[in-house]
Amino acid sequence: RKKSITPLSAEKSQNLLAQLDIEIQDAKMYGKKTFRPMQRNKTMVSLLLSSGMRVNELVNLRMGDFQADLARPEFGNYALITVAHGKGRKARVVRMFNPQIKDVLDWYIDHVRPSFLKATTKDASLLFLSERGEQLCTEQVRRVLDRVAKLAGIETRLTPHVLRHSYATQMKEAIGPESLQKQLGHVHLST
């Protein structure tokens, strides 16, 4: 029997992002070494909430996986994301629907990401790197979400999969079930 997953409401999603902002401001004010990692974490959470990606797709995302869409110039180079590390290793294209992601990703790539690139970085094409310049693992993302959710007053266990369900719930009316199925990479509409 499968567990029921309760998606975050739009309000709780905003509370989660607000908590990340609080932690970023706190780290900056007190000169904590968590300043850049918290900025990276906020970008990861924003991208998960805006795309419905799986956590393994997120940690394997590369700089070259983004494309512009001439019909949607407000998204800059981030209108489409080619996701190739999902379930079954099937590639799919995820369309972005929130144009604010352009500002978030431009800021992250220009101001935050360079601090994670090290001389020892094996794969500099990865979008998200650890503090040591290595690939993040999915467990690191899960730990970040769990910790920040508790601070944000979210009582249910928060996982990347809950954010995926939150995206699906918020988008199902806006884009329709068939488009949502393609976005999420599901083979069957009933999933």
Side-chain angles (χ1 to χ4, degrees):
R1 193 172 184 188
K2 288 188 175 185
K3 289 182 188 177
S4 174
I5 296 176
T6 304
L8 289 183
S9 64
E11 180 183 350
K12 285 187 180 181
S13 296
Q14 290 304 314
N15 290 347
L16 182 66
L17 293 170
Q19 181 60 44
L20 286 160
D21 284 336
I22 290 168
E23 291 196 28
I24 290 167
Q25 291 171 353
D26 181 61
K28 184 177 183 180
M29 184 182 300
Y30 295 107
K32 294 180 180 178
K33 65 181 182 177
T34 59
F35 178 60
R36 292 291 185 210
M38 289 309 303
Q39 290 178 318
R40 177 204 58 212
N41 297 345
K42 182 175 181 190
T43 305
M44 289 190 309
V45 170
S46 297
L47 195 54
L48 286 171
L49 285 168
S50 297
S51 67
M53 278 191 276
R54 294 176 176 96
V55 68
N56 62 321
E57 295 168 341
L58 179 80
V59 299
N60 284 295
L61 202 57
R62 290 179 161 54
M63 299 288 290
D65 290 341
F66 294 93
Q67 296 95 42
D69 181 354
L70 296 176
R72 309 290 298 272
E74 66 273 21
F75 288 86
N77 293 324
Y78 312 107
L80 305 168
I81 306 171
T82 301
V83 178
H85 299 278
K87 217 173 189 178
R89 295 276 192 212
K90 294 179 184 171
R92 72 179 192 283
V93 175
V94 175
R95 174 172 293 285
M96 300 305 293
F97 289 97
N98 183 351
Q100 290 178 338
I101 202 67
K102 177 194 180 301
D103 294 335
V104 170
L105 289 171
D106 277 341
W107 165 77
Y108 171 76
I109 290 167
D110 293 342
H111 302 288
V112 179
R113 186 176 175 275
S115 65
F116 292 99
L117 291 168
K118 310 291 181 207
T120 58
T121 299
K122 291 178 184 168
D123 189 351
S125 70
L126 287 166
L127 181 62
F128 297 110
L129 297 163
S130 72
E131 291 84 345
R132 293 181 178 164
E134 299 170 0
Q135 183 173 13
L136 288 171
C137 71
T138 59
E139 188 55 36
Q140 287 171 291
V141 178
R142 287 184 177 90
R143 282 193 304 260
V144 164
L145 279 176
D146 187 49
R147 186 184 63 73
V148 175
K150 288 176 183 169
L151 292 171
I154 298 170
E155 295 162 4
T156 57
R157 184 168 177 256
L158 186 62
T159 65
H161 201 69
V162 171
L163 295 185
R164 185 169 159 81
H165 277 256
S166 302
Y167 168 82
T169 301
Q170 293 171 15
M171 293 301 292
K172 72 179 177 186
E173 297 300 319
I175 65 173
E178 289 83 13
S179 293
L180 185 61
Q181 174 190 1
K182 289 177 186 171
Q183 283 281 108
L184 296 173
H186 289 157
V187 175
H188 303 287
L189 184 60
S190 59
T191 308

